[in-house]
Amino acid sequence: MQNSAAFAYKTVGAQTVSPRVLEANLLSRAAAQLQRCRDDWDNTRHELTSALLFNRKLWTVFLGSVTGEESQLPKPLRENIANLGIFVMKQTLNVLSEPEARKLTVLININRELAAGLRERS
């Protein structure tokens, strides 16, 4: 019973939140997970892979969306987002191969800035 209530709540939430706000919220969530790892490195390092995986999945969806033929964004904006996504993927691999707290800062900043931009436009 509780699972169906949670599903119903999520369904209604998804119907009432604009796609831009949803994207902004997901970017903020990813940034918060990464910042938690960065800020408490010694105690949260075990969460790093999970936080990076969540961020990578999110950016994979963005990349697929902006590079798809159905994207209605202007070509220069699609190219900028795609280039940013490629950078995020490379930086993620860099952190995974040689973990350092300071390397998370750029990923956190990118997510926060993009989230802020999405919120301004909605």
Side-chain angles (χ1 to χ4, degrees):
M1 180 75 144
Q2 187 176 11
N3 286 340
S4 61
F7 177 76
Y9 181 78
K10 285 182 182 178
T11 303
V12 170
Q15 293 172 352
T16 58
V17 174
S18 77
R20 281 196 175 108
V21 171
L22 178 60
E23 291 168 348
N25 291 344
L26 290 169
L27 283 163
S28 294
R29 178 178 162 195
Q33 289 176 0
L34 294 169
Q35 182 170 351
R36 177 174 153 70
C37 290
R38 184 194 67 190
D39 291 350
D40 193 13
W41 186 253
D42 293 332
N43 296 317
T44 60
R45 240 178 109 200
H46 64 281
E47 299 173 20
L48 179 63
T49 301
S50 176
L52 288 168
L53 179 62
F54 178 78
N55 195 57
R56 188 178 74 199
K57 285 180 182 180
L58 182 58
W59 276 95
T60 299
V61 171
F62 289 158
L63 282 168
S65 177
V66 299
T67 59
E69 291 179 17
E70 66 281 351
S71 178
Q72 297 179 2
L73 295 173
K75 186 176 180 180
L77 181 57
R78 288 189 320 224
E79 290 172 350
N80 286 341
I81 294 171
N83 288 333
L84 194 56
I86 292 166
F87 174 81
V88 167
M89 296 301 184
K90 287 180 180 179
Q91 184 67 13
T92 299
L93 289 175
N94 183 299
V95 176
L96 283 169
S97 66
E98 297 176 25
E100 293 180 43
R102 67 177 178 79
K103 292 181 180 180
L104 296 174
T105 302
V106 68
L107 296 173
I108 294 165
N109 290 341
I110 288 170
N111 285 3
R112 286 205 173 128
E113 290 296 322
L114 191 53
L118 288 167
R119 286 190 179 102
E120 285 178 11
R121 294 184 64 197
S122 59

